[in-house]
Amino acid sequence: GDSVTQMEGPVTLSEEAFLTINCTYTATGYPSLFWYVQYPGEGLQLLLKATKADDKGSNKGFEATYRKETTSFHLEKGSVQVSDSAVYFCAPGGQGGFKTIFGAGTRLFVKA
Amino acid sequence: NAGVMQNPRHLVRRRGQEARLRCSPMKGHSHVYWYRQLPEEGLKFMVYLQKENIIDESGMPKERFSAEFPKEGPSILRIQQVVRGDSAAYFCASSPIGMRDTQYFGPGTRLTVL
C-alpha cells in the first residue's frame, strides 16, 4: 500500500543552520506531494506542495522538489529560525487523491 | 476568510459517554475529511464527506463511530460509548471542488477519555 518514510527526529539545529528533512514515499501513480507543519498545540498548516515530477514547491524559505525517479520530496531551508521549531509531515496524496498519507513526522528544534 | 473551524478544542468524556465533534469547512469548500492523530503518530484518514453524502469511510472503525455532513450546519463526527483508546486529536480538513488533494486543516479537537 501507499506509504511515506521520513527521517526520524528530533532534529536539533542552531539558528541560521541549513535544514534537510528527507522524505521518500511509495504510491500508486504519481500523486501530488505535500509538506505540512504542525506547531505545538495546533493543527496542520499546508507548507508547500508539488503536483508533478520536477516541480519545486516553496514557501517561507522552505523548498522541496518532486523527484519521480527517486520517489523523494526532501524539505530544505537555507537558514532556520527559532520560530521554525515544529513537527514537519511529508504527505503524498493517497488513494483517490484525498486519502493523504501521513508518517510520524519529524520534530525540529531550533536553538537560539 | 475564516479557516476551518472545529469545536470544541478540548473535550473530556468518561468511558461509555458520547462524544460529538464539530467541523465547519472553509467558505466555499464542499469536501470535508476527518483524520485521527494518536500521540506521537501521524494522522490517519477516517472519512470523506460531501454535503449529505459519505464518499469514503474506509478509515472509520466499524462500530461506535459515525460521521455526517448535513445540508445545513457543520460536519459532525460522533463517537458512541467512548473507550480510553479513543483518546486522540481529531482533525477536520476541507478542500474546494476539484482539489480533493489540497486539504486545509482545522486546529483539531483533543478528546480525552477518563
Side-chain angles (χ1 to χ4, degrees):
Chain A
D2 296 354
S3 65
V4 60
T5 302
Q6 288 181 235
M7 62 188 292
E8 286 192 24
V11 173
T12 303
L13 296 173
S14 297
E15 207 165 21
E16 299 184 4
F18 184 85
L19 168 71
T20 300
I21 300 178
N22 291 335
C23 168
T24 57
Y25 64 92
T26 58
T28 304
Y30 302 106
S32 296
L33 302 175
F34 304 86
W35 276 97
Y36 286 88
V37 57
Q38 185 177 32
Y39 297 101
E42 298 185 13
L44 275 71
Q45 296 179 25
L46 178 61
L47 181 60
L48 54 85
K49 65 182 277 191
T51 58
K52 61 184 188 297
D54 299 325
D55 263 5
K56 178 185 283 188
S58 61
N59 185 26
K60 299 181 181 179
F62 291 90
E63 292 182 340
T65 301
Y66 193 141
R67 300 290 186 202
K68 186 176 72 172
E69 62 278 9
T70 55
T71 62
S72 63
F73 194 51
H74 306 320
L75 183 69
E76 297 182 336
K77 186 175 185 182
S79 175
V80 294
Q81 306 300 312
V82 172
S83 57
D84 294 327
S85 298
V87 181
Y88 291 81
F89 293 92
C90 178
Q95 184 181 355
F98 57 85
K99 292 183 187 177
T100 307
I101 310 296
F102 289 91
T106 301
R107 186 175 296 275
L108 170 67
F109 292 107
V110 180
K111 303 180 296 183
Chain B
N1 186 13
V4 177
M5 295 193 290
Q6 290 187 249
N7 68 80
R9 293 292 306 275
H10 300 275
L11 182 61
V12 179
R13 285 288 178 265
R14 296 190 180 279
R15 281 178 296 172
Q17 292 184 319
E18 178 180 286
R20 279 182 177 246
L21 289 63
R22 296 176 196 79
C23 168
S24 297
M26 287 180 71
K27 187 176 181 180
H29 287 192
S30 59
H31 305 276
V32 166
Y33 317 82
W34 286 93
Y35 290 81
R36 177 166 61 177
Q37 184 181 33
L38 296 173
E40 303 302 318
E41 294 187 14
L43 281 69
K44 295 290 192 292
F45 169 82
M46 298 180 75
V47 62
Y48 162 35
L49 309 106
Q50 295 179 13
K51 285 283 187 182
E52 300 184 283
N53 281 308
I54 296 174
I55 307 302
D56 187 308
E57 57 182 347
S58 57
M60 288 272 275
K62 293 288 184 282
E63 297 178 351
R64 302 189 296 108
F65 284 71
S66 62
E68 62 177 9
F69 189 16
K71 188 175 180 181
E72 301 291 337
S75 175
I76 306 287
L77 179 67
R78 182 182 178 206
I79 311 172
Q80 295 179 288
Q81 299 176 326
V82 294
V83 300
R84 289 224 173 102
D86 296 333
S87 295
Y90 292 84
F91 290 95
C92 169
S94 72
S95 68
I97 295 172
M99 294 181 68
R100 299 190 305 184
D101 61 352
T102 304
Q103 298 173 9
Y104 297 85
F105 283 80
T109 294
R110 278 159 180 79
L111 172 65
T112 301
V113 180
L114 302 177

